[in-house]
Amino acid sequence: MTLPRHDLGAGALSVGAIGLGCMSFSPAYGGFEGVDPREVIVRALDLGCTLLDTADAYGPSELAVGEAIAGRRDDAVLATKFGIVSAPRPGQPAVVNGTPDYVRSAAEGSLRRLGVDHIDLYYQHRADPDVPIEETVGAMAELVAEGKVRYLGLSEASVDTIRRAAAVHPIAALQSEWSLWSRDIEDGIVPTCRELGIGLVPFSPLGRGMLTGRITSFDDLSERDLRRRHPRFSGDAFDANLSSVDVVRDIATAHGVTPGQVAIAWLLARGPDVVPIPGTKHLAYLEENIGATDVTLSDDDLARLDAVTAVGERSFDPTWINRSTPPPVS
């Protein structure tokens, strides 16, 4: 099993068509829970899953990624993010910081935790509404000039932010939630990225696990699982979203594959500039996700999947951002 390659940044950065989302190694998804993240990451690299996506906000994830790639740096395309300096709690927004001093401080911290001398793809995790994007990207561009970062990315950015950022320095990738049940970026953001030669890196391509078909009850989620507070996993929304998975399951059965593979194949069919980053802590699920590259969906399959919708708001909405003055650099 070897992954085909997809290109980000108008062909500037070639990576495996599916990446590994390393938020799965964060406390938000229960931490390591007795699994060895190094085993999963090394296996991902062996299979050609080269894009490893982490962030300084993901607890010990950067450290785990750094330990796993020791001795295999050239096999990995390291992506990490800065900007979220405190995670949102129930009823509270996230706090973000996009000041130039913080950009440099955050990058130095990520380089230390990853144990590397450069970051391949450095994202602003969320735009800071109190700092012009030109200032933030200008500071990121300085890191490129110094050789500490190779390519720049944005996460969950608006069309206006994307255009203004790209006017300062080329942007290789936009990371946003995109899946069968999160389609809002398709109207304006996706066309803008393609106009500007910006690759697309969908996070949560499996609907935070719901589209795999393996979650059948709220009780399937551990007490520490962040999804217990997610609007789409709550009350009536949970039951309605379970029903939407039936369409995915029917198509999967017809192809002799899993629902998760169908959900990822749907994204891969969007274009060769799309690199989904499903997260997992388990080797079997890693290999299942990568197997999605062998799934070919018919036009009828795609039409049925396009009609799938989700009930409930998605939790990674940019309105979480705290519009107060960002905290000082520590």
Side-chain angles (χ1 to χ4, degrees):
M1 184 190 305
T2 303
L3 276 176
R5 308 286 289 188
H6 278 194
D7 292 333
L8 302 175
L13 184 59
S14 178
V15 298
I18 296 174
L20 178 63
C22 297
M23 188 180 177
S24 53
F25 303 124
S26 76
Y29 286 92
F32 299 156
E33 294 184 347
V35 301
D36 184 353
R38 292 171 296 184
E39 185 179 20
V40 176
I41 294 167
V42 168
R43 180 61 175 154
L45 294 177
D46 288 342
L47 295 171
C49 180
T50 58
L51 181 61
L52 306 178
D53 182 89
T54 184
D56 60 3
Y58 295 168
S61 178
E62 283 185 323
L63 288 169
V65 172
E67 291 175 2
I69 66 165
R72 297 195 61 174
R73 177 65 182 93
D74 292 343
D75 296 333
V77 177
L78 281 179
T80 193
K81 299 179 279 294
F82 75 92
I84 295 179
V85 295
S86 73
R89 294 185 173 90
Q92 296 181 345
V95 175
V96 299
N97 191 336
T99 60
D101 284 347
Y102 189 79
V103 172
R104 181 167 295 277
S105 172
E108 296 292 351
S110 289
L111 288 167
R112 286 194 302 272
R113 287 184 292 273
L114 291 165
V116 298
D117 62 4
H118 71 276
I119 296 163
D120 295 306
L121 178 57
Y122 199 40
Y123 290 101
Q124 183 184 26
H125 209 156
R126 294 291 187 275
D128 185 338
D130 296 318
V131 177
I133 189 64
E134 291 83 358
E135 293 184 17
T136 303
V137 174
M140 295 167 72
E142 290 178 4
L143 296 172
V144 175
E146 295 169 12
K148 295 179 179 180
V149 169
R150 292 180 61 208
Y151 298 98
L152 302 186
L154 302 172
S155 179
E156 292 283 272
S158 69
V159 168
D160 178 64
T161 296
I162 294 167
R163 290 192 180 280
R164 289 167 57 195
V168 175
H169 189 277
I171 302 298
L174 175 80
Q175 183 174 139
S176 283
E177 184 170 2
W178 193 12
S179 73
L180 284 169
W181 69 351
S182 292
R183 309 282 301 277
D184 53 294
I185 73 168
E186 293 179 2
D187 290 338
I189 290 173
V190 171
T192 299
C193 286
R194 287 181 167 155
E195 174 193 335
L196 298 173
I198 298 171
L200 297 152
V201 179
F203 71 76
S204 296
L206 295 171
R208 295 181 178 80
M210 182 71 86
L211 294 170
T212 66
R214 286 188 285 268
I215 299 173
T216 59
S217 166
F218 188 76
D219 293 333
D220 291 339
L221 307 176
S222 72
E223 293 293 335
R224 297 171 57 197
D225 197 312
L226 179 70
R227 290 172 290 185
R228 281 179 166 263
R229 302 198 301 271
H230 193 292
R232 292 180 178 173
F233 286 79
S234 302
D236 293 341
F238 183 90
D239 294 334
N241 289 325
L242 273 183
S243 297
S244 72
V245 178
D246 289 341
V247 175
V248 185
R249 186 180 288 108
D250 288 347
I251 293 171
T253 299
H255 285 271
V257 298
T258 68
Q261 288 174 323
V262 168
I264 294 173
W266 176 85
L267 269 173
L268 293 173
R270 304 298 97 177
D273 57 351
V274 178
V275 182
I277 50 169
T280 183
K281 294 180 284 190
H282 304 285
L283 287 174
Y285 296 159
L286 169 70
E287 294 177 0
E288 176 186 322
N289 292 340
I290 289 174
T293 58
D294 294 327
V295 178
T296 301
L297 300 172
S298 69
D299 289 344
D300 180 63
D301 294 331
L302 293 171
R304 292 179 64 197
L305 292 168
D306 284 346
V308 170
T309 58
V311 175
E313 296 297 321
R314 70 185 189 96
S315 62
F316 283 87
D317 190 287
T319 58
W320 272 2
I321 292 173
N322 189 343
R323 293 183 176 272
S324 63
T325 302
V329 176
S330 57

